[in-house]
Amino acid sequence: MTSVLVYGAYGHTGRFVVAELRERGFEPILSGRDAARLPGGRVATVDDPASLDRALAGVAAVINTAGPFAETAAPLIEAAQRAGAPYVDVAAELEANLDTFARAADGVVVPAMAFFGGLGDLLATAAMGDWTSADEIHVAYGLSGWHPTAGTLAAGRVSHSRRGGQRIRFAGGRLEYHDDALPKLTWPFPEPLGPQPVLGEFTMADVVTIPSHLAVPSVTTYLTSVAAAGLSAAQEREGAPETFVVDVVVRSGGEERRITARGQDIYAVTAPLAVEAVERILTGRTKTKGVASAGELFDAPDFLKALAPHVTID
């Protein structure tokens, strides 16, 4: 049985990933920093490379679900490199993603293989189709609400601190930092949401993953106002999972292409994204090596089909 180490296995997303691995016939190796929450697992801390090496001994791949990724990504990538194992994480922290893309790596390293960053990148890549470039890409996240996990809140605080409280947008082919208020507008989501008020330039990891391999000078992400309010409330996750519609629009020379993904529970859907990535890497269904986003590494339309029944694509 192929073993895959899940770092942060006892966390909210980590538990979904462990279950998905078991369902697909992998042997999940549970790991993390907290021995009390990891009976029978492999305890390792990111400030102790030897403990990480022991944890990764004999594993075929690593999935990092433990944020803040500004603290965990680099040490785990280095340990995975030493072990000769591919690395996948679910980081939605822009700064951590930028750090990862700035690295040189042997083998395969995939950051942001999650709902934010990975799914949007796959959708945008599929929508591009035979276009070699585009003028602009818009990724609108229609969430019926948002009940963030403790990990999401901690990661958000780290990102906010690292950029001095400024917000980010990707325009003119580069990241720009701003202090002005987020634009407010209405996005015409398809059903089941319909038109919704959104915050424009509510920047997600897609502004890092998409331009890393697609020739597009402008990537804008949007978030429904009700979801932003839930995130701003900074209360840990409780209540029913959110329904989501991710609506991606690609424009080039007056032409427009659109693709939409629908589903439920943004944390649960991260598990099939990350595990499908590992399965494809281990079976050689990749297009490149080194540090690469989902859209660059995989056949995007085929990958999206494999997400059924977790995600419905139109």
Side-chain angles (χ1 to χ4, degrees):
M1 186 179 294
T2 303
S3 60
V4 177
L5 183 127
V6 182
Y7 195 77
Y10 43 71
H12 187 80
T13 302
R15 291 194 293 271
F16 282 122
V17 171
V18 168
E20 183 74 16
L21 285 166
R22 285 179 174 144
E23 185 174 330
R24 294 186 184 219
F26 289 98
E27 178 189 11
I29 305 298
L30 280 56
S31 185
R33 296 163 284 196
D34 190 343
R37 301 175 67 187
L38 205 64
R42 300 184 182 182
V43 179
T45 58
V46 294
D47 59 353
D48 183 356
S51 73
L52 291 174
D53 290 343
R54 290 192 295 271
L56 270 63
V59 305
V62 177
I63 301 177
N64 179 12
T65 67
F69 293 89
E71 300 172 1
T72 65
L76 274 163
I77 290 170
E78 290 165 5
Q81 296 282 284
R82 292 193 296 272
Y87 167 94
V88 172
D89 71 34
V90 299
E93 297 166 42
L94 277 70
E95 294 76 20
N97 297 147
L98 288 167
D99 290 345
T100 299
F101 275 110
R103 302 180 65 91
D106 297 322
V108 177
V109 172
V110 191
M113 195 65 241
F115 178 77
F116 294 116
L119 180 58
D121 181 35
L122 288 165
L123 291 167
T125 304
M128 286 278 290
D130 57 353
W131 288 355
T132 58
S133 64
D135 299 326
E136 56 191 39
I137 293 178
H138 301 266
V139 183
Y141 286 100
L143 275 61
S144 61
W146 193 350
H147 308 289
T149 64
T152 295
L153 295 172
R157 288 191 293 269
V158 170
S159 279
H160 189 266
S161 175
R162 287 189 68 180
R163 58 176 177 260
Q166 293 184 300
R167 65 180 186 84
I168 302 176
R169 68 183 178 206
F170 184 83
R174 61 186 180 88
L175 292 173
E176 299 176 344
Y177 293 79
H178 296 267
D179 294 307
D180 54 328
L182 292 169
K184 296 181 180 180
L185 59 153
T186 298
W187 187 271
F189 289 102
E191 296 301 327
L193 289 183
Q196 294 286 323
V198 298
L199 295 178
E201 300 178 6
F202 196 102
T203 303
M204 302 296 192
D206 311 84
V207 304
V208 177
T209 56
I210 291 172
S212 73
H213 69 105
L214 295 180
V216 55
S218 175
V219 179
T220 308
T221 55
Y222 308 78
L223 181 68
T224 45
S225 299
V226 66
L231 181 63
S232 298
Q235 296 176 343
E236 289 189 29
R237 190 169 182 81
E238 59 181 23
E242 55 282 298
T243 296
F244 66 80
V245 176
V246 184
D247 196 27
V248 176
V249 176
V250 180
R251 297 190 178 112
S252 178
E255 294 186 59
E256 179 178 292
R257 292 177 175 177
R258 193 181 208 114
I259 188 169
T260 304
R262 296 177 176 83
Q264 189 176 44
D265 197 333
I266 65 175
Y267 295 100
V269 81
T270 288
L273 279 159
V275 176
E276 180 70 23
V278 164
E279 187 168 317
R280 287 175 180 248
I281 293 166
L282 294 179
T283 54
R285 290 177 288 164
T286 57
K287 298 190 293 183
T288 187
K289 291 184 178 180
V291 181
S293 71
E296 181 179 15
L297 189 63
F298 305 113
D299 179 330
D302 187 64
F303 194 111
L304 290 169
K305 289 179 184 177
L307 294 178
H310 307 282
V311 180
T312 302
I313 306 295
D314 294 322

